Every structure is written in C-alpha cells, then in structure tokens.
Amino acid sequence: MPTETLDIADPTPSEMRDFKDITPPLIFDELNRGVLGQDRALRFVSVAVYKHTTGKVSGNLLMIGNSGTGKTTIMNNLQRLYNEVPEYRPFRAVTIINANLLVDADRLEFRPDRLMSAVEQRARAIVGARPTPEELTTAIQRATICIDEIDKMSTILAGKPNALGVVLQQGLLTLMEGERITYPTHAWVDGVEKEVKLDIDTGRMMFICGGAFESLYEQVLDRVSRPGGGSKLKTQTIRTAEGQMRIETRFLLSEQLKPEDLFKFGMVPQFMARFEKVVVLADLSQAVLQEILLKSFDSPYVRARAFFKIMDIHLDIEALASALISEKAGQDRRTGARALRPIFTEIINPLEFDPWNKEDLVAREEGGWNLLITSDMVRKVISGNS
C-alpha cells in the first residue's frame, strides 16, 4: 500500500482538502523535511498544528533545548509548512519574535501591541489589498505566535528577582488564557479606509515558546546527582567514528525534568499551566549530526555543493570524513548542529579559494570535475584545532 504524502502542489478549488484531512502524520512528514533528529518534538508540534487548524483548543507548547538542537529551526519550518501547503493559507500569519521585545524595560510593562503589530503585518499579506475589519480579525485570530528565548524572561536571574520576567510571563499568561483585546488599526469599510478597532480573541491563537534554559541543566543534574536524590545517571557504550569504543555517563533532561524544577528556575506556575506540553528537545547524536550535515536544507555541506556547482565541480564527501566532522561537533553538547559550520568551514575554505590546484580534483569523462572531501583532510583540520 503506497505511503500517503502531504501534497504541496497548488490544487484546484475542488481539490482543496478539509483541514481535518491533513492529519498529524502528514504534518510530521512535511516538518521532518527541514528538522532532523527531533522526531519526538515534531510529533507534539504536529498534533498542536492539527488542533489549531481544525479549530480545536490550541495545543500551546514550550520547547526546551540546548543551542543548536533545533528550536528556531522548528519555528521556521512551521512558517514554511503554512506557506507551502495551499490549504493552510488562512493560517499564514506566523510571527517569530524574541521574548525581550515584548517588554518595555524602562516602564516595566508588557507590550502586546508590539506582538499584535507583527501579527497584523503578516495578516495583511494574507488578506491582500483593502482588507475589511472582519477579514483582518479572522486572519489575526488564526495566528501562530512563536516566542524565542523565553528563558531569558525568567522571574529569577543570577539568583536575583527579575521584574521583567514577572511582567512578561503575566502578560503572556493573560493572552494565552484567551483574552479579548481591542486593537486599533485601519481597514476598509464600504469602500473607504477608516480607523477601526478590532475585537481580537487571543484564545484562538497558537503559542509556541522556546528557550535554551541553560542553567536548568546544571540545576537538575545537581538534584539528580545529589546523594539521596532518588535517581541514578545511566552509562552507555559509544562507538567512535574510527571504530573505537568508550563508555559515557548519560544525563538526559527529558528523563529527569519535573515541574518544580521549572518553578525553581523562575517560571510562574500559572504561566506553565497554559502549555499543553513541555517538550525537551533531544541532544543531537553523532549519527543525527551526520545526517544534518549531509541532508539539511541549510547544511554547510549542501551550501558548499551549490557553490562548486557554479564552477561545474561536483563536490562529494567520504562517509568517514562526514562521521569525523559530526563526532567533533558532537563533543560540545551546548552548540549542537551549530558546531558543524565552523569545523566544516575550516576544511572547505582552502578548496573554495582555489580548487583548481588540488590533487583531489578529478576530471569527469562527461565534462566537469569531481572534488572529494577525504577523511585525511578532516583529520588534519581537527588535529590542528584540538
């Protein structure tokens, strides 16, 4: 039986599917094209999108993950999903905003107008010229709000109370509970552009918040490692890219996190209650980092291949070479996939600068050239940076 896929070609009006027919597995498959190694997180995101688009209660999510694990990538791919699936046109008012922009530091006040202004701009792009108040209201209420670096708005910073965090969390809490707000703007009424006040029900919006929560890892690890903590860290055997074996102690925040850990970190309980799920993103293994390097849309290797194609050079990489790069990147758990780029750049820059005088450049019979990134190239760079 053939596998069903999410068709993103432009359908005719009669071919447009009902939102309920675009199921979570189809949403997952589309998101998974741009987000690798976070299957568990994407399943929760896919269900949240399905609830949002079918008019059910939105499944607001809080994503916790180290830098480079994919929080912003998930947000960007949510935007891509809405933009590429024709049926999702009404939901394209996706706004990605940094948490600190929602608070006026001088006046210590929450600024929902900054959020609504960003949403309105997206809504106007959907509705088109001369939107009516009703059209703008509908588009705004279907928005997906992605708020990054929410952890920077904790109520506690460096062990001291953070008033900005209190203001932001209380303000967002009100919006996520489903507040009706009056939003002043301009719209077309009876063929004339007028000042209008839109009555917006924020309870119809979906909120996806994310943050690194860096000190949370140390906080929970300290609790788990403390004598009498009731938990024990696990060990696992790791095979290196060169085939050697080593034993590592493994700490996974997703297995140890408790609600009270987040409260202690500085997240208001009432605010946390507005999220259907707290999703801890997985640390990226060497195998996942290797897949990201070879296949991700914005991988430095994929970009390099496009660069060399301009010169009719086909760039390839040995399997061991990609494994060595990924293994080196994985040694820093706090940078995740971001660690791939600086390592790969050191390797590829000499080839990009002058590929014509490299012995690894080989002419093809059909024309053009082949250029191979070898494991020896990688070892030379890695040993020099160790």
Side-chain angles (χ1 to χ4, degrees), residues 22-56:
I22 305 177
T23 60
L26 296 179
I27 297 169
F28 173 90
D29 289 341
E30 180 58 30
L31 291 173
N32 201 37
R33 292 176 56 232
V35 183
L36 302 175
Q38 296 296 352
D39 289 6
R40 179 175 178 273
L42 287 188
R43 284 194 289 270
F44 285 106
V45 173
S46 300
V47 171
V49 169
Y50 187 75
K51 290 179 178 180
H52 180 55
T53 55
T54 54
K56 305 300 181 184

Side-chain angles (χ1 to χ4, degrees), residues 90 93 119 123-124 126-127 134-143:
V119 175
R124 287 184 179 274
I126 297 168
V127 177
E134 293 76 19
E135 288 172 332
L136 275 180
T137 298
T138 299
I140 290 173
Q141 289 181 160
R142 285 173 164 168

